[in-house]
Amino acid sequence: MENDLSPDKILPRAIDTYWKKSQMPIKKTMILSFFAGVFISLAAVASSLASAHLLASSETLPMGKFIQGLVFTPGLIFVMVAGGELFTGNCLMVFALLDKKTTLKTMLKSWLLVYLGNFVGALFIVILLAQSGQWLLGDGLVGARTILIAQAKIDLSFSQALILGILANFLVCLGVWMGLGAKSYGSKAIAGFFPVLIFVLSGFEHSIANMYYIPAGIMAKNIGSLAAKSGLGRQALASLNLYNMVVKNLLPVTLGNIIGGVILVGFLYFLAYRKEA
């Protein structure tokens, strides 16, 4: 790792990287953002399966969250190594904006395209999982946990979702920032591993991951045996819908993700290292 960049040397590379991303053709942007949505969703699928039995008990909950975090970490690593455009990571496009390499309009357009592409990738995995029978594993425990995870996310207040979104993307963008200084696959994997582990273990909110978790819960609740196993009442199950997904979770979490990535990582690191760069 001796060739990896020190923090004070990362900023020029970050500015150049995100300037290129802002100029990326729409077709390429949509394909790579679709991949990122798929990567994050598959990580969510695997982490849910690995931790379902542990999350079902308060005694084993801490270990369940730890296993969930461990198994979720490949999602960001795949994006960083295989190539993908992830909305939360692309909040760091603010580097190129602050350095006047791109415009606010161009950045917002790129964010919108990537956000939509991530959503399509996540829904693609939800649809496949709904037809796969995976939610019926463990006598329906996996599907029941899928419903409960989704319900917990829409039960958050606006301020809770906003704050948890800020903290999640502070950590994700910290991993991306460190990954920009990495010059090997191993270094990139390490850079992405620990921040993601901490954010999942801590129960923070990631808008793109929620594009899988909540639609998956909405679809799983329509399987009668899974809805019954979740233990939720009729009113709680009815509240698990697309409107609440957008208004009660994705809206505040996305705003929080933007604040965490743009201000706490992008703006402050730019402020710290701009003169040296």
PDB file of all heavy atoms in Angstrom, residues 2 21 40 56 66 110 113 130 140 142 145 149 164 168-169 171 180 189 194 199-200 204 251 270:
ATOM      1  N   GLU A   2       2.174   1.098  -0.213  1.00  0.00           N
ATOM      2  CA  GLU A   2       3.066   2.247  -0.143  1.00  0.00           C
ATOM      3  C   GLU A   2       2.796   3.271  -1.238  1.00  0.00           C
ATOM      4  O   GLU A   2       3.199   4.431  -1.118  1.00  0.00           O
ATOM      5  CB  GLU A   2       4.520   1.771  -0.231  1.00  0.00           C
ATOM      6  CG  GLU A   2       4.831   0.996  -1.511  1.00  0.00           C
ATOM      7  CD  GLU A   2       6.248   0.456  -1.511  1.00  0.00           C
ATOM      8  OE1 GLU A   2       6.929   0.634  -0.482  1.00  0.00           O
ATOM      9  OE2 GLU A   2       6.644  -0.140  -2.510  1.00  0.00           O
ATOM     10  N   LYS A  21     -16.887  12.319 -14.179  1.00  0.00           N
ATOM     11  CA  LYS A  21     -18.212  11.743 -13.956  1.00  0.00           C
ATOM     12  C   LYS A  21     -19.310  12.714 -14.388  1.00  0.00           C
ATOM     13  O   LYS A  21     -20.331  12.309 -14.938  1.00  0.00           O
ATOM     14  CB  LYS A  21     -18.393  11.375 -12.478  1.00  0.00           C
ATOM     15  CG  LYS A  21     -17.610  10.143 -12.028  1.00  0.00           C
ATOM     16  CD  LYS A  21     -17.831   9.908 -10.543  1.00  0.00           C
ATOM     17  CE  LYS A  21     -17.066   8.692 -10.036  1.00  0.00           C
ATOM     18  NZ  LYS A  21     -17.635   7.428 -10.537  1.00  0.00           N
ATOM     19  N   ILE A  40     -25.681  -2.891  -4.574  1.00  0.00           N
ATOM     20  CA  ILE A  40     -26.132  -2.560  -3.223  1.00  0.00           C
ATOM     21  C   ILE A  40     -27.306  -3.449  -2.812  1.00  0.00           C
ATOM     22  O   ILE A  40     -27.384  -3.922  -1.668  1.00  0.00           O
ATOM     23  CB  ILE A  40     -26.526  -1.071  -3.133  1.00  0.00           C
ATOM     24  CG1 ILE A  40     -25.309  -0.176  -3.376  1.00  0.00           C
ATOM     25  CG2 ILE A  40     -27.153  -0.760  -1.772  1.00  0.00           C
ATOM     26  CD1 ILE A  40     -24.185  -0.332  -2.373  1.00  0.00           C
ATOM     27  N   ALA A  56     -33.886 -11.704  14.996  1.00  0.00           N
ATOM     28  CA  ALA A  56     -35.215 -12.013  15.522  1.00  0.00           C
ATOM     29  C   ALA A  56     -35.268 -11.990  17.048  1.00  0.00           C
ATOM     30  O   ALA A  56     -36.348 -12.012  17.628  1.00  0.00           O
ATOM     31  CB  ALA A  56     -35.668 -13.382  15.014  1.00  0.00           C
ATOM     32  N   PHE A  66     -23.950  -7.062  13.491  1.00  0.00           N
ATOM     33  CA  PHE A  66     -22.551  -7.196  13.085  1.00  0.00           C
ATOM     34  C   PHE A  66     -22.425  -8.070  11.833  1.00  0.00           C
ATOM     35  O   PHE A  66     -21.731  -7.708  10.879  1.00  0.00           O
ATOM     36  CB  PHE A  66     -21.729  -7.795  14.232  1.00  0.00           C
ATOM     37  CG  PHE A  66     -20.269  -7.940  13.915  1.00  0.00           C
ATOM     38  CD1 PHE A  66     -19.455  -6.816  13.802  1.00  0.00           C
ATOM     39  CD2 PHE A  66     -19.697  -9.188  13.727  1.00  0.00           C
ATOM     40  CE1 PHE A  66     -18.097  -6.944  13.503  1.00  0.00           C
ATOM     41  CE2 PHE A  66     -18.349  -9.329  13.427  1.00  0.00           C
ATOM     42  CZ  PHE A  66     -17.549  -8.193  13.323  1.00  0.00           C
ATOM     43  N   SER A 110     -26.692  15.087 -13.190  1.00  0.00           N
ATOM     44  CA  SER A 110     -25.991  13.822 -12.993  1.00  0.00           C
ATOM     45  C   SER A 110     -26.550  13.081 -11.796  1.00  0.00           C
ATOM     46  O   SER A 110     -26.795  11.866 -11.850  1.00  0.00           O
ATOM     47  CB  SER A 110     -24.496  14.074 -12.806  1.00  0.00           C
ATOM     48  OG  SER A 110     -23.810  12.864 -12.560  1.00  0.00           O
ATOM     49  N   LEU A 113     -29.960  11.475 -12.713  1.00  0.00           N
ATOM     50  CA  LEU A 113     -29.819  10.293 -13.560  1.00  0.00           C
ATOM     51  C   LEU A 113     -29.319   9.094 -12.757  1.00  0.00           C
ATOM     52  O   LEU A 113     -29.820   7.975 -12.902  1.00  0.00           O
ATOM     53  CB  LEU A 113     -28.864  10.589 -14.718  1.00  0.00           C
ATOM     54  CG  LEU A 113     -29.364  11.569 -15.780  1.00  0.00           C
ATOM     55  CD1 LEU A 113     -28.251  11.891 -16.769  1.00  0.00           C
ATOM     56  CD2 LEU A 113     -30.567  11.003 -16.526  1.00  0.00           C
ATOM     57  N   ALA A 130     -38.745 -11.550  -5.595  1.00  0.00           N
ATOM     58  CA  ALA A 130     -40.149 -11.868  -5.346  1.00  0.00           C
ATOM     59  C   ALA A 130     -40.565 -13.153  -6.057  1.00  0.00           C
ATOM     60  O   ALA A 130     -41.469 -13.861  -5.595  1.00  0.00           O
ATOM     61  CB  ALA A 130     -41.030 -10.710  -5.797  1.00  0.00           C
ATOM     62  N   GLY A 140     -39.944 -19.060   6.274  1.00  0.00           N
ATOM     63  CA  GLY A 140     -40.512 -17.729   6.106  1.00  0.00           C
ATOM     64  C   GLY A 140     -39.864 -16.649   6.966  1.00  0.00           C
ATOM     65  O   GLY A 140     -40.263 -15.481   6.900  1.00  0.00           O
ATOM     66  N   VAL A 142     -36.921 -15.273   6.705  1.00  0.00           N
ATOM     67  CA  VAL A 142     -36.247 -14.253   5.887  1.00  0.00           C
ATOM     68  C   VAL A 142     -37.254 -13.234   5.371  1.00  0.00           C
ATOM     69  O   VAL A 142     -37.028 -12.016   5.431  1.00  0.00           O
ATOM     70  CB  VAL A 142     -35.482 -14.908   4.715  1.00  0.00           C
ATOM     71  CG1 VAL A 142     -34.923 -13.839   3.778  1.00  0.00           C
ATOM     72  CG2 VAL A 142     -34.363 -15.791   5.239  1.00  0.00           C
ATOM     73  N   ARG A 145     -38.571 -11.013   8.243  1.00  0.00           N
ATOM     74  CA  ARG A 145     -37.591  -9.987   8.603  1.00  0.00           C
ATOM     75  C   ARG A 145     -37.552  -8.894   7.537  1.00  0.00           C
ATOM     76  O   ARG A 145     -37.367  -7.713   7.845  1.00  0.00           O
ATOM     77  CB  ARG A 145     -36.198 -10.585   8.755  1.00  0.00           C
ATOM     78  CG  ARG A 145     -35.992 -11.487   9.939  1.00  0.00           C
ATOM     79  CD  ARG A 145     -36.386 -10.877  11.261  1.00  0.00           C
ATOM     80  NE  ARG A 145     -35.809  -9.566  11.474  1.00  0.00           N
ATOM     81  CZ  ARG A 145     -36.149  -8.758  12.476  1.00  0.00           C
ATOM     82  NH1 ARG A 145     -37.080  -9.128  13.326  1.00  0.00           N
ATOM     83  NH2 ARG A 145     -35.572  -7.586  12.623  1.00  0.00           N
ATOM     84  N   ILE A 149     -38.050  -5.060   8.577  1.00  0.00           N
ATOM     85  CA  ILE A 149     -37.021  -4.055   8.281  1.00  0.00           C
ATOM     86  C   ILE A 149     -37.647  -2.871   7.550  1.00  0.00           C
ATOM     87  O   ILE A 149     -37.401  -1.706   7.878  1.00  0.00           O
ATOM     88  CB  ILE A 149     -35.882  -4.668   7.443  1.00  0.00           C
ATOM     89  CG1 ILE A 149     -35.051  -5.624   8.305  1.00  0.00           C
ATOM     90  CG2 ILE A 149     -34.984  -3.580   6.855  1.00  0.00           C
ATOM     91  CD1 ILE A 149     -34.049  -6.444   7.510  1.00  0.00           C
ATOM     92  N   LEU A 164     -30.092  10.003  10.617  1.00  0.00           N
ATOM     93  CA  LEU A 164     -29.498   8.703  10.295  1.00  0.00           C
ATOM     94  C   LEU A 164     -28.962   8.687   8.859  1.00  0.00           C
ATOM     95  O   LEU A 164     -27.981   8.009   8.560  1.00  0.00           O
ATOM     96  CB  LEU A 164     -30.527   7.592  10.498  1.00  0.00           C
ATOM     97  CG  LEU A 164     -30.980   7.375  11.947  1.00  0.00           C
ATOM     98  CD1 LEU A 164     -32.087   6.333  12.011  1.00  0.00           C
ATOM     99  CD2 LEU A 164     -29.808   6.960  12.829  1.00  0.00           C
ATOM    100  N   ALA A 168     -25.055   8.029   7.810  1.00  0.00           N
ATOM    101  CA  ALA A 168     -24.753   6.955   6.868  1.00  0.00           C
ATOM    102  C   ALA A 168     -23.859   7.443   5.740  1.00  0.00           C
ATOM    103  O   ALA A 168     -22.836   6.820   5.420  1.00  0.00           O
ATOM    104  CB  ALA A 168     -26.047   6.373   6.295  1.00  0.00           C
ATOM    105  N   ASN A 169     -24.215   8.580   5.139  1.00  0.00           N
ATOM    106  CA  ASN A 169     -23.429   8.996   3.982  1.00  0.00           C
ATOM    107  C   ASN A 169     -22.137   9.709   4.360  1.00  0.00           C
ATOM    108  O   ASN A 169     -21.226   9.809   3.543  1.00  0.00           O
ATOM    109  CB  ASN A 169     -24.241   9.857   3.021  1.00  0.00           C
ATOM    110  CG  ASN A 169     -23.762   9.673   1.594  1.00  0.00           C
ATOM    111  OD1 ASN A 169     -23.305   8.583   1.226  1.00  0.00           O
ATOM    112  ND2 ASN A 169     -23.817  10.716   0.791  1.00  0.00           N
ATOM    113  N   LEU A 171     -20.213   8.305   6.453  1.00  0.00           N
ATOM    114  CA  LEU A 171     -19.345   7.124   6.463  1.00  0.00           C
ATOM    115  C   LEU A 171     -19.111   6.575   5.062  1.00  0.00           C
ATOM    116  O   LEU A 171     -17.986   6.209   4.703  1.00  0.00           O
ATOM    117  CB  LEU A 171     -19.952   6.046   7.370  1.00  0.00           C
ATOM    118  CG  LEU A 171     -19.858   6.350   8.869  1.00  0.00           C
ATOM    119  CD1 LEU A 171     -20.782   5.433   9.657  1.00  0.00           C
ATOM    120  CD2 LEU A 171     -18.417   6.200   9.354  1.00  0.00           C
ATOM    121  N   LEU A 180     -10.466   6.806  -3.149  1.00  0.00           N
ATOM    122  CA  LEU A 180      -9.858   7.619  -4.203  1.00  0.00           C
ATOM    123  C   LEU A 180      -8.348   7.715  -4.046  1.00  0.00           C
ATOM    124  O   LEU A 180      -7.625   7.960  -5.010  1.00  0.00           O
ATOM    125  CB  LEU A 180     -10.467   9.026  -4.197  1.00  0.00           C
ATOM    126  CG  LEU A 180     -11.897   9.138  -4.721  1.00  0.00           C
ATOM    127  CD1 LEU A 180     -12.508  10.495  -4.349  1.00  0.00           C
ATOM    128  CD2 LEU A 180     -11.942   8.942  -6.229  1.00  0.00           C
ATOM    129  N   ALA A 189     -10.730  -2.087  -1.285  1.00  0.00           N
ATOM    130  CA  ALA A 189     -11.610  -2.937  -0.485  1.00  0.00           C
ATOM    131  C   ALA A 189     -11.527  -2.566   0.992  1.00  0.00           C
ATOM    132  O   ALA A 189     -12.546  -2.467   1.683  1.00  0.00           O
ATOM    133  CB  ALA A 189     -11.250  -4.404  -0.688  1.00  0.00           C
ATOM    134  N   PHE A 194     -14.580  -0.832   6.296  1.00  0.00           N
ATOM    135  CA  PHE A 194     -14.855  -0.428   7.672  1.00  0.00           C
ATOM    136  C   PHE A 194     -15.935   0.644   7.796  1.00  0.00           C
ATOM    137  O   PHE A 194     -16.793   0.549   8.691  1.00  0.00           O
ATOM    138  CB  PHE A 194     -13.554   0.010   8.363  1.00  0.00           C
ATOM    139  CG  PHE A 194     -12.617  -1.137   8.603  1.00  0.00           C
ATOM    140  CD1 PHE A 194     -11.525  -1.344   7.776  1.00  0.00           C
ATOM    141  CD2 PHE A 194     -12.838  -2.031   9.644  1.00  0.00           C
ATOM    142  CE1 PHE A 194     -10.661  -2.412   7.984  1.00  0.00           C
ATOM    143  CE2 PHE A 194     -11.990  -3.103   9.856  1.00  0.00           C
ATOM    144  CZ  PHE A 194     -10.893  -3.299   9.030  1.00  0.00           C
ATOM    145  N   PHE A 199     -21.611   1.803   9.499  1.00  0.00           N
ATOM    146  CA  PHE A 199     -22.926   2.397   9.226  1.00  0.00           C
ATOM    147  C   PHE A 199     -24.049   1.370   9.326  1.00  0.00           C
ATOM    148  O   PHE A 199     -25.130   1.655   9.862  1.00  0.00           O
ATOM    149  CB  PHE A 199     -22.896   3.183   7.906  1.00  0.00           C
ATOM    150  CG  PHE A 199     -23.717   2.650   6.771  1.00  0.00           C
ATOM    151  CD1 PHE A 199     -25.100   2.572   6.830  1.00  0.00           C
ATOM    152  CD2 PHE A 199     -23.103   2.259   5.584  1.00  0.00           C
ATOM    153  CE1 PHE A 199     -25.853   2.104   5.758  1.00  0.00           C
ATOM    154  CE2 PHE A 199     -23.838   1.795   4.518  1.00  0.00           C
ATOM    155  CZ  PHE A 199     -25.224   1.710   4.606  1.00  0.00           C
ATOM    156  N   VAL A 200     -23.816   0.150   8.878  1.00  0.00           N
ATOM    157  CA  VAL A 200     -24.863  -0.876   8.975  1.00  0.00           C
ATOM    158  C   VAL A 200     -25.025  -1.330  10.422  1.00  0.00           C
ATOM    159  O   VAL A 200     -26.155  -1.464  10.922  1.00  0.00           O
ATOM    160  CB  VAL A 200     -24.531  -2.073   8.060  1.00  0.00           C
ATOM    161  CG1 VAL A 200     -25.595  -3.174   8.227  1.00  0.00           C
ATOM    162  CG2 VAL A 200     -24.457  -1.637   6.607  1.00  0.00           C
ATOM    163  N   PHE A 204     -27.706   3.107  10.570  1.00  0.00           N
ATOM    164  CA  PHE A 204     -27.903   4.353   9.842  1.00  0.00           C
ATOM    165  C   PHE A 204     -28.649   4.079   8.533  1.00  0.00           C
ATOM    166  O   PHE A 204     -28.783   2.933   8.108  1.00  0.00           O
ATOM    167  CB  PHE A 204     -26.557   5.033   9.588  1.00  0.00           C
ATOM    168  CG  PHE A 204     -25.794   5.397  10.846  1.00  0.00           C
ATOM    169  CD1 PHE A 204     -24.412   5.451  10.867  1.00  0.00           C
ATOM    170  CD2 PHE A 204     -26.477   5.668  12.026  1.00  0.00           C
ATOM    171  CE1 PHE A 204     -23.725   5.781  12.028  1.00  0.00           C
ATOM    172  CE2 PHE A 204     -25.806   6.004  13.185  1.00  0.00           C
ATOM    173  CZ  PHE A 204     -24.418   6.058  13.189  1.00  0.00           C
ATOM    174  N   LEU A 251     -37.359  10.544   1.099  1.00  0.00           N
ATOM    175  CA  LEU A 251     -37.181  11.993   1.078  1.00  0.00           C
ATOM    176  C   LEU A 251     -36.228  12.468   2.182  1.00  0.00           C
ATOM    177  O   LEU A 251     -35.197  13.089   1.889  1.00  0.00           O
ATOM    178  CB  LEU A 251     -38.529  12.700   1.177  1.00  0.00           C
ATOM    179  CG  LEU A 251     -38.486  14.232   1.259  1.00  0.00           C
ATOM    180  CD1 LEU A 251     -37.792  14.823   0.034  1.00  0.00           C
ATOM    181  CD2 LEU A 251     -39.892  14.805   1.410  1.00  0.00           C
ATOM    182  N   PHE A 270     -12.492  19.664   1.107  1.00  0.00           N
ATOM    183  CA  PHE A 270     -12.063  20.682   0.137  1.00  0.00           C
ATOM    184  C   PHE A 270     -11.481  21.888   0.872  1.00  0.00           C
ATOM    185  O   PHE A 270     -10.437  22.416   0.506  1.00  0.00           O
ATOM    186  CB  PHE A 270     -13.237  21.120  -0.733  1.00  0.00           C
ATOM    187  CG  PHE A 270     -12.886  22.059  -1.846  1.00  0.00           C
ATOM    188  CD1 PHE A 270     -12.478  21.580  -3.079  1.00  0.00           C
ATOM    189  CD2 PHE A 270     -12.944  23.439  -1.656  1.00  0.00           C
ATOM    190  CE1 PHE A 270     -12.128  22.447  -4.106  1.00  0.00           C
ATOM    191  CE2 PHE A 270     -12.609  24.316  -2.671  1.00  0.00           C
ATOM    192  CZ  PHE A 270     -12.197  23.821  -3.905  1.00  0.00           C
TER     193      PHE A 270
END
